[in-house]
Amino acid sequence: MPPRVLVVDKTSSTRDTISELLGDHASEVVWSTREGAFAQLRNALAAGLPFDVVLLDCEPVPTPTLVRDLGSIGGSARVVLVATAGEGIALANRCGAADVVTRPLSTPELVFRVARPSPNLERGDKRRPRKSDVLIGSGSWIKELYDRIAMVAATDVTVAIFGESGTGKELVARTIHNSSPRHDAPFVVVNCAAIPEALLEDELFGHVRGAFTDATRDREGLLAAAHTGTLFLDEIGELPMALQAKLLRVLQSQEFRRIGDDTDRRVDVRIITATNRDLDQLVARGSFRQDLYYRINVFPMHLPPLRERPEDIGLLVHHFVQKYRARLGKVIDAVSPTALARFAAYEFPGNVRELENKIHQAMVIAQGPMIEDADVALPPVTARGGMRVDVARPFREVKQEAIDQFERSYLTELLDLHRGNLAQAARAAGMDRKNLWALVERHGLDRERFKKP
Ligand SMILES: Nc1ncnc2c1ncn2[C@@H]1O[C@H](COP(=O)(O)OP(=O)(O)OP(=O)(O)O)[C@@H](O)[C@H]1O
Ligand SMILES: [Mg+2]
């Protein structure tokens, strides 16, 4: 199949020339300005018809970053420069382009440089996120989350993800990486809590031969392994003080030093951190550097615990049933209403990870085509006071009603107790203030009503 070509130039007339010269050697030639190119590339990828070649005009001289991004954002395209005679290959090398064509343009040169089959057309497919790795949720929080991911993915800004254990911090970090121009480069995970302090520096920064007794040769650290990609520092709150200083340097100047080395090295990495700890508290206690905290907290993202978004449970149950169905080779496709009711009623202190494990367990146990009540290892619902429900009506509807009723009573009592003071109420309820506020709004409760002298 002849390639699909995107011509990126200030004016559209170049497209017409190239289209005419290439003729049948291109299956489509589309024009875009530099400003519009990313949207074009993304849309084409989303439509399943990615561009194979980007022909980029050299005026003004493109930066390596621009060339890299144009080549990666729409899957994987060869970026070929369109230069005026005399510039040529040196320029292409300087900005990292695959090739160059020179003006005046001719059919043979264009066919040779643009339409020949590219040896690495599969490159972009390797790291496409699997379907089971998609972030699931309903309502406004997931929409807001996706908006924020889209906003930050296009940049190199440092992201800090906060949330209880199992709320999806790593999945969010991966999603950011996969939607960023770095998606073809490595995504490297370092769990600061899992690696002993004495080894962590070596793991992260590497060493030179002779740096210590066992150092028989040079070793690149994980930071270097993440070059041009993303480094995900999980449990950042556990990073030892000495390494906090080194990380700060990386964030400030993209420089670091291997153990035992006498020169600095530079890296180009995007850093994403995550923690379930309260970093403010760690700073106050003196175990986390304030200057580092400011540096990593440029773009914070807070993931709410599952108990604050019970409306997601049904979707997640379905999602994980699909995920493990394939893995276990079982033809389970549904969850019985009573089993589902037990999922809906449970608090999930271990959040989405716990829910996923419970579904996995239940599917291993289940014999029939459906997860039954007996397959589920959760506390029975009736043991908690057994609410009367109308089983003649659809489960979804009845459940939503019960949840609404419960939320409304809870919020009324809570706001009454704290005289409408949201901050105080949120603290007492163990909820994020924003989530509480959203819930109060959703139920249309008037805070003024609770303010008493
Ligand atoms: N919104 C979601 N949609 C789909 N799957 C999710 C979602 N949130 C979490 N998961 C899944 O739940 C599991 C736990 O998520 P993840 O490892 O990202 O959590 P975490 O916050 O990093 O947890 P921990 O603090 O325990 O490391 C993963 O298998 C992940 O794919
Ligand atoms: Mg994690």
Side-chain angles (χ1 to χ4, degrees), residues 164-171 189 191 232 234-235 274 353:
E164 287 178 15
S165 175
T167 46
K169 298 185 292 294
E170 185 165 342
L171 185 56
V189 180
N191 187 331
F232 176 52
D234 205 357
E235 314 277 8
R353 182 195 305 287

Side-chain angles (χ1 to χ4, degrees), residues 84-136:
T84 20
E87 290 176 300
I89 201 74
L91 183 63
N93 283 341
R94 224 179 328 130
C95 50
D99 213 336
V100 62
V101 291
T102 43
R103 290 197 161 96
L105 299 166
S106 69
T107 300
E109 189 184 7
L110 271 174
V111 171
F112 178 70
R113 308 235 180 250
V114 174
R116 84 186 127 147
S118 158
N120 55 1
L121 275 181
E122 319 77 33
R123 192 164 55 100
D125 288 319
K126 274 197 315 250
R127 292 171 203 276
R128 288 271 161 76
R130 279 173 293 151
K131 204 165 145 237
S132 61
D133 288 341
V134 167
L135 273 162
I136 303 288

Side-chain angles (χ1 to χ4, degrees), residues 158 248 251 279-280 283 288-299:
T158 306
L248 183 63
L251 287 167
L279 286 184
D280 279 314
V283 169
F288 201 86
R289 292 178 68 124
Q290 182 147 42
D291 45 8
L292 178 61
Y293 180 36
Y294 289 145
R295 274 283 171 177
I296 63 172
N297 204 23
V298 185
F299 193 91

Side-chain angles (χ1 to χ4, degrees), residues 243-255:
L243 295 188
Q244 290 181 23
K246 281 195 118 178
L247 176 62
L248 183 63
R249 232 187 122 214
V250 174
L251 287 167
Q252 282 168 340
S253 60
Q254 301 188 300
E255 280 174 357

